Amino acid sequence: MKEIVIISGKGGTGKSSICAALAYVAKEELVVADCDVDAADLHLILNPKNSEVQDFYSGVLAEIDPDKCIACGLCQQICRFAAIEPHEKTYRVIDLECEGCGYCYYVCPQDAITLIDQNVGKFLISDTRYGCTLVHAHLGIGADNSGKLVAKVKSEAKTRAKTEQKAYILADGSPGIGCPVIASLAGADYVILVTESSKSGLSDLKRVQELVTKFQIPSACIVNKADINPGVTSDIHKYLAKNKIHHMGDIPYAEDFHKAIAMGRCLIEENETRWLPIFSEYWHDIKEKI
Amino acid sequence: MRIAIASGKGGTGKTFLAVNLALKAAETQTTLLMDLDVEEPNGGIFIQADAADVHKVTRAIPIWDPGACNLCGKCISWCKFNAIIKLGEMILVMPPLCHSCYACSELCPMQALPMEQQSLGEIRHLKLGKLDFTESKLDIGLEQSSPLIERTLEFADEHFGDKELQLLDSPPGTACAMVSAVKTVDYVILISEPTPFGLFDLNLAVETVRQLGLPFSVVINRDGIGNNDIYKYLEKEKIQLLAKIPHQREIAEMYSRGEIIYQQVPAVDEALNQILSKIRSLS
């Protein structure tokens, strides 16, 4: 089983649209994993149903029992996150600031502190209208641990792919280069970088590729909105060639992207004559490279 | 007055709005713009000056001292982030997972895990007339952006606390990085686009700022694409629609070249006027 991850560095380059179109072409062969857990959008196209929903717990928050607290203040002194403040003669934890490190719990001489497991979100395993399984998640607001939820989504997708005897997992990643992206790269076999023809797109592509290089995963690139700035597109092509990143193709700026999303469809459902050949070729290309 | 420009979805125009708004505001008042999308900062593509000063930012990480360690393994059980493992007769600390809480270091009975400063990233600062601009960049391979965001906010308090308007270009999403950036502000401007993706992610961002108890309003970018559902949502939720920015290919082309847009597109200038008059009515 092979795991393909779509990331972009920059947001809004068309990752999810491209992921949905690839899922449409390869629906018989894959399980889809939406790893953009704090702004998951794939479900808006794939229409998940019969979802199996599970709570996801990760990390802890400290809680001070005011009846046991003797207000010695030790917890406040050692907390590096300024998450403990005086409150009605004892102390209390500011949830939003608490990092869940447990240091206060270890040092409290009165055992007045408990560490509470945190429900940081939900993950769902669903059927989709394409017939393939979608594993997705909703991260709680402002939650930490998005990387761990991504890891969970990926491991569930793997289990499903095994039982369904599917050869591929297609994962839609999140923007950036931080913890959720790093978690989506762990264990991946192939990375598809979706960039756009703008100075920001190129700058973000370089940073995310540097991260991919650290993981030593082979990568390929699709340049979206390629006709918006021909100069930058040519710079992107040069960058890809120089860094031995496989150039899968260019997609010109197309209103079909917004139109399809507005109708809850993928690009191919919006205009089959135009998009089916392109994405069939991309999928063929991906399988060949893996 | 400190204002965050945020969005649930990436690529909806946060940096576009932040940069243009900051430059326009700086025509008449002292303004600070902080690019806090530390994983992929782009503000510096649009705002350039001859001289920039760069401040290295570090954070403390425990370093294993094999001479002092008795291999008791307590540090491993204390660390809630699984950042410490034992490999044979060795203790390994994995810096990307470490949250710099100091627990292992200060609780170690043998003082075998002294803290040392390691690079986290950098803050670049430059000045352009009445505008001060900072761009923070996280070292590639590090997982947590919140510590750098918090350090940048401290840096801003220290050096630019007197600026009349402080704008903050937030990271995308609604997870810890976005909250670290947004929680310190007086007001939030959310920017989204009129598509189902834009609406779904805007709703998450709205829930987040409501939970933080912050006043906010919404700017819709690329008005004309997608459908009207986002406007119906704003009406139903009684959320102020601050301005609409029309969908024009030329705007995308100018943005792609790293250009400032409001001086070239009157509709953008008009939208910025509406936003600035709201901001000025707040203070």
Side-chain angles (χ1 to χ4, degrees):
Chain A
M1 186 201 317
K2 300 286 181 188
E3 198 176 297
I4 304 149
V5 178
I6 305 182
I7 47 176
S8 64
K10 183 172 174 355
T13 59
K15 262 188 318 295
S16 299
S17 295
I18 286 171
C19 184
L22 285 172
Y24 180 91
V25 173
K27 46 188 174 281
E28 315 281 332
E29 301 168 73
L30 51 70
V31 166
V32 180
D34 193 343
C35 292
D36 189 0
V37 296
D38 66 317
D41 286 331
L42 265 183
H43 64 278
L44 297 170
I45 296 179
L46 297 183
N47 269 354
K49 50 185 187 228
N50 308 325
S51 299
E52 186 186 318
V53 188
Q54 287 179 47
D55 283 321
F56 182 70
Y57 287 86
S58 176
V60 294
L61 283 190
E63 194 178 272
I64 299 172
D65 180 348
D67 295 334
K68 288 187 182 167
C69 177
I70 54 165
C72 70
L74 189 55
C75 53
Q76 189 190 25
Q77 275 168 40
I78 57 88
C79 178
R80 292 307 193 287
F81 308 101
I84 296 177
E85 62 181 4
H87 177 67
E88 292 177 357
K89 291 183 188 158
T90 62
Y91 286 85
R92 72 170 171 194
V93 175
I94 309 164
D95 286 357
L96 203 58
E97 306 293 337
C98 178
E99 195 84 3
C101 69
Y103 194 178
C104 57
Y105 165 81
Y106 300 125
V107 299
C108 176
Q110 297 295 310
D111 287 329
I113 297 177
T114 11
L115 299 178
I116 317 275
D117 286 332
Q118 286 307 291
N119 180 342
V120 294
K122 283 192 276 234
F123 70 91
L124 305 88
I125 303 170
S126 312
D127 297 334
T128 65
R129 65 192 180 88
Y130 292 170
C132 56
T133 299
L134 171 69
V135 184
H136 47 140
H138 296 301
L139 186 70
I141 284 165
D144 239 325
N145 297 305
S146 57
K148 285 183 179 141
L149 187 51
V150 169
K152 181 72 186 168
V153 166
K154 293 216 320 170
S155 79
E156 285 300 321
K158 223 171 241 174
T159 311
R160 289 303 291 238
K162 256 182 216 154
T163 43
E164 294 174 20
Q165 299 187 318
K166 297 289 163 75
Y168 303 96
I169 292 167
L170 183 64
D172 187 12
S174 55
I177 57 164
C179 78
V181 176
I182 289 173
S184 65
L185 287 175
D189 298 288
Y190 198 59
V191 173
I192 297 171
L193 303 159
V194 177
T195 189
E196 64 173 35
S197 171
S198 69
K199 284 189 172 178
S200 313
L202 175 57
S203 159
D204 293 355
L205 171 71
K206 288 179 178 170
R207 277 172 69 79
V208 78
Q209 171 60 29
E210 209 177 305
L211 180 68
V212 172
T213 307
K214 283 182 193 275
F215 280 82
Q216 300 183 316
I217 307 171
S219 58
C221 180
I222 295 172
V223 186
N224 196 10
K225 309 174 198 173
D227 55 339
I228 286 284
N229 189 329
V232 169
T233 298
S234 131
D235 290 345
I236 295 174
H237 292 166
K238 280 178 211 149
Y239 171 79
L240 298 179
K242 195 173 151 218
N243 290 278
K244 300 193 171 56
I245 302 161
H246 173 54
H247 177 212
M248 288 173 67
D250 291 351
I251 297 178
Y253 181 83
E255 299 288 346
D256 280 355
F257 275 74
H258 315 303
K259 285 188 193 155
I261 294 171
M263 301 301 293
R265 300 197 282 238
C266 83
L267 284 165
I268 301 168
E269 294 167 295
E270 182 65 27
N271 184 342
E272 192 171 320
T273 343
R274 175 169 185 191
W275 298 106
L276 183 61
I278 295 172
F279 283 95
S280 302
E281 198 192 307
Y282 284 164
W283 182 242
H284 183 74
D285 181 9
I286 292 165
K287 289 209 287 190
E288 213 174 68
K289 291 286 175 199
I290 295 180
Chain B
M1 171 75 42
R2 185 178 275 183
I3 292 170
I5 295 168
S7 74
K9 183 170 164 13
T12 57
K14 276 184 303 299
T15 302
F16 154 72
L17 179 59
V19 163
N20 282 277
L21 194 61
L23 284 164
K24 180 150 173 100
E27 288 174 357
T28 53
Q29 63 187 134
T30 57
T31 304
L32 167 69
L33 172 63
M34 285 175 268
D35 188 342
L36 292 180
D37 185 1
V38 304
E39 295 178 29
E40 296 283 24
N42 288 325
I45 292 173
F46 303 89
I47 298 174
Q48 288 172 357
D50 295 334
D53 42 301
V54 178
H55 306 260
K56 297 282 176 204
V57 181
T58 60
R59 62 165 186 158
I61 294 285
I63 305 292
W64 182 54
D65 177 356
C69 180
N70 65 0
L71 293 170
C72 71
K74 283 179 184 155
C75 51
I76 299 165
S77 65
W78 288 324
C79 181
K80 288 275 180 277
F81 310 109
N82 305 315
I84 309 178
I85 54 170
K86 194 171 158 187
L87 214 64
E89 302 270 284
M90 274 172 56
I91 296 291
L92 276 183
V93 178
M94 288 171 286
L97 299 180
C98 174
H99 286 225
S100 307
C101 75
Y102 285 73
C104 62
S105 181
E106 293 176 355
L107 292 172
C108 174
M110 308 304 289
Q111 282 93 47
L113 287 164
M115 299 297 272
E116 279 182 22
Q117 294 296 320
Q118 280 199 353
S119 175
L120 179 62
E122 61 176 40
I123 303 171
R124 258 179 74 237
H125 161 250
L126 51 89
K127 196 163 175 54
L128 204 68
K130 284 196 165 84
L131 177 70
D132 283 275
F133 169 67
T134 67
E135 180 180 71
S136 305
K137 208 175 258 189
L138 185 70
D139 286 350
I140 292 168
L142 294 185
E143 296 210 345
Q144 308 151 54
S145 38
S146 299
L148 181 55
I149 291 170
E150 276 157 17
R151 294 290 296 278
T152 309
L153 289 166
E154 287 164 20
F155 181 84
D157 287 340
E158 205 175 305
H159 299 279
F160 311 108
D162 59 333
K163 302 299 165 198
E164 293 164 85
L165 177 62
Q166 302 182 17
L167 289 171
L168 183 160
D169 186 0
S170 152
T174 53
C176 47
M178 181 267 200
V179 171
S180 299
V182 167
K183 70 186 179 197
T184 62
V185 304
D186 304 298
Y187 192 81
V188 182
I189 296 172
L190 297 173
I191 179 162
S192 193
E193 59 187 30
T195 64
F197 285 9
L199 173 56
F200 185 82
D201 297 344
L202 173 66
N203 186 28
L204 294 176
V206 164
E207 281 179 40
T208 307
V209 292
R210 278 186 175 155
Q211 200 161 313
L212 293 170
L214 292 168
F216 68 98
S217 56
V218 169
V219 171
I220 297 296
N221 193 11
R222 304 195 183 105
D223 175 47
I225 64 167
N227 57 34
N228 283 325
D229 290 353
I230 207 159
Y231 300 110
K232 290 182 199 150
Y233 163 83
L234 294 177
E235 215 163 280
K236 189 177 136 251
E237 292 288 320
K238 300 191 172 57
I239 295 168
Q240 186 186 3
L241 173 61
L242 205 49
K244 289 189 212 176
I245 296 164
H247 172 58
Q248 286 176 17
R249 190 187 155 109
E250 301 76 70
I251 296 178
E253 288 176 357
M254 290 168 197
Y255 187 83
S256 82
R257 295 191 289 263
E259 291 173 9
I260 303 306
I261 293 162
Y262 74 94
Q263 296 145 331
Q264 306 186 59
V265 182
V268 172
D269 194 46
E270 184 44 39
L272 295 187
N273 280 331
Q274 289 163 9
I275 298 166
L276 279 175
S277 86
K278 173 72 185 184
I279 289 173
R280 284 165 184 158
S281 77
L282 295 169
S283 44

